[in-house]
Amino acid sequence: MGLFDGLLRSGGAGQFDSGSASSNAIELTKRHGQVSLSKQDAATGHLRINLNWRMRTSDIGGPQRESLLRHPFKALKPPEVVGHSMSMVNVDLDLGCLYELTDGTKGVVQPLGGFLGDVNAPPYVKLSGDDRFGSASGETMYVNLDQRESIKRLLIFVYIYDQTPAFDRTQAMVTLYPSNGPRIEIQLDERQPQARSCAVVMIENVKGEILVRREVKFVYGFQGELDRLYGWGLQWGRGYKAKSGR
């Protein structure tokens, strides 16, 4: 059970389908950090946002891996002995979204507190579930861009559950799948060993144009610190996430 920031409200649940995407990709980097969904005719339908991560290969095994490099004959031991330390660090990344609508409504969509959102009603953002194990599917969120006129800005963020600051030990990536055109990838590849949260990407309605801008800003606190960094102005309190499965 972990303790971190939770918004003082309630939420809902559910799942639904998303649009298709082509096989090629656009990677947002520090040098090329923005793309317009409107200009590639992708500002309609469901925008699917996926968080996926795995442990860095160089970190799997920890001290044991270093020992194998120095003493290669230890590799002859049974696999379950050699790889035993792979599960010692349990990293649980969560996907969230701070939203602001054009009518001034503000809030959060995240697993903590059950703020799962709604795709057909405000905030037009929906989290499909909570992946606590880094599975192949990861965590997925949907944005209803058919309601883009109601959306002012969305800050997609990732935070570490269970107070284990280990961004530097994961290979995390957030991928956006528009209803049309290439997918958009943002890698969380900066070494920030003590960070607990990361603002990943901003989706903004600028005079009717839907822009996607890379942020990748790590902070050492939780959602409340991201709120202060971007001036959302929400009221935050301490929150827990239940220990039961999905």
Side-chain angles (χ1 to χ4, degrees), residues 91-192:
V91 179
D92 182 5
L93 301 185
D94 279 336
L95 182 65
C97 173
L98 284 169
Y99 63 83
E100 182 178 3
L101 305 183
T102 53
D103 66 0
T105 302
K106 297 178 182 179
V108 68
V109 173
Q110 63 179 21
L112 176 64
F115 298 100
L116 300 183
D118 196 316
V119 73
N120 295 313
Y124 307 111
V125 179
K126 180 75 172 179
L127 186 65
S128 66
D130 177 17
D131 170 29
R132 304 189 181 185
F133 308 104
S135 67
S137 60
E139 292 195 1
T140 301
M141 181 179 292
Y142 297 87
V143 178
N144 186 352
L145 291 180
D146 289 335
Q147 299 293 333
R148 60 192 176 279
E149 293 181 359
S150 298
I151 297 171
K152 182 177 181 180
R153 59 174 180 161
L154 307 173
L155 179 66
I156 308 303
F157 64 90
V158 173
Y159 61 96
I160 290 181
Y161 175 67
D162 208 17
Q163 300 196 26
T164 305
F167 270 115
D168 63 326
R169 299 190 65 180
T170 63
Q171 290 179 316
M173 182 165 67
V174 172
T175 306
L176 281 63
Y177 297 88
S179 59
N180 180 56
R183 67 183 184 273
I184 301 166
E185 298 177 346
I186 306 99
Q187 296 193 40
L188 280 61
D189 53 2
E190 298 178 16
R191 290 290 214 179
Q192 298 286 343

